[in-house]
Amino acid sequence: MMMSLGLFVFKLSTLPYQTTNHQVNYTWAENARFGQRAVSQFLGPGKETLKLTGQLLPELTGGMRYLQTLQSMADSGREWPLIEGNGTIHGMFVIESLTNDNGEFNSNGQARSISFSIFLKRVDESQAAMFGDLMAQAEGLYNKASSAIGNFITGG
């Protein structure tokens, strides 16, 4: 596994990306002063993005169905946890955009080469906020499971 976005796993047989571009911006407010340089105040982290780019060779690696799976995930409007294969948790991300360029077509019109880019944007406030949300989700699932087991046992 190279990385996972929600339940979608990037690996050599699905969407093997070749490059990543991670960008973190920081927000600074500036206050002008007469006869002096402006003073700046740090306001906190700003936009964080991750771009994954790669090339698919459907005869050897994944094909369009994996890009379509990511498009369905993007269409849902949900945020997804992004976790690297080494266990690094990056946070909760949304898919901002997907692009693909098809080339080298065979006789039935199927592309033999597909270049793709996936643009992700981080949407959680912090790692602590993300784990808090995950904990709330886990508690909700536990409560539903407990209720279902109780109903099963009592026959209700």
Side-chain angles (χ1 to χ4, degrees):
M1 176 179 90
M2 300 168 71
M3 187 180 295
S4 69
L5 179 65
L7 296 177
F8 184 86
V9 178
F10 292 90
K11 56 185 180 177
L12 295 178
S13 61
T14 60
L15 283 177
Y17 54 86
Q18 280 79 43
T19 62
T20 62
N21 179 296
H22 186 214
Q23 182 175 348
V24 181
N25 296 305
Y26 297 92
T27 307
W28 290 84
E30 195 171 275
N31 197 5
R33 299 185 299 177
F34 184 76
Q36 297 179 354
R37 284 191 183 104
V39 294
S40 296
Q41 181 179 6
F42 180 65
L43 298 179
K47 185 176 180 180
E48 182 176 347
T49 59
L50 182 67
K51 176 183 173 186
L52 306 172
T53 58
Q55 182 172 9
L56 295 174
L57 304 170
E59 296 167 350
L60 303 173
T61 62
M64 281 301 293
R65 69 178 181 264
Y66 297 109
L67 286 171
Q68 291 167 341
T69 299
L70 282 177
Q71 185 174 352
S72 294
M73 290 172 65
D75 290 346
S76 76
R78 295 192 55 208
E79 55 191 46
W80 307 93
L82 183 68
I83 304 171
E84 257 185 270
N86 64 8
T88 302
I89 299 172
H90 289 280
M92 300 297 282
F93 282 75
V94 295
I95 301 171
E96 275 198 307
S97 66
L98 301 165
T99 62
N100 64 285
D101 295 313
N102 302 335
E104 301 179 32
F105 298 94
N106 61 23
S107 61
N108 68 359
Q110 184 179 7
R112 296 178 67 208
S113 173
I114 304 167
S115 297
F116 67 89
S117 294
I118 303 164
F119 298 86
L120 305 173
K121 180 174 78 169
R122 186 171 178 181
V123 293
D124 61 53
E125 293 179 24
S126 66
Q127 292 282 357
M130 181 185 75
F131 287 125
D133 291 343
L134 292 175
M135 180 60 86
Q137 292 175 25
E139 287 175 0
L141 289 172
Y142 176 78
N143 291 338
K144 285 181 183 178
S146 295
S147 175
I149 290 170
N151 288 339
F152 178 76
I153 291 172
T154 61

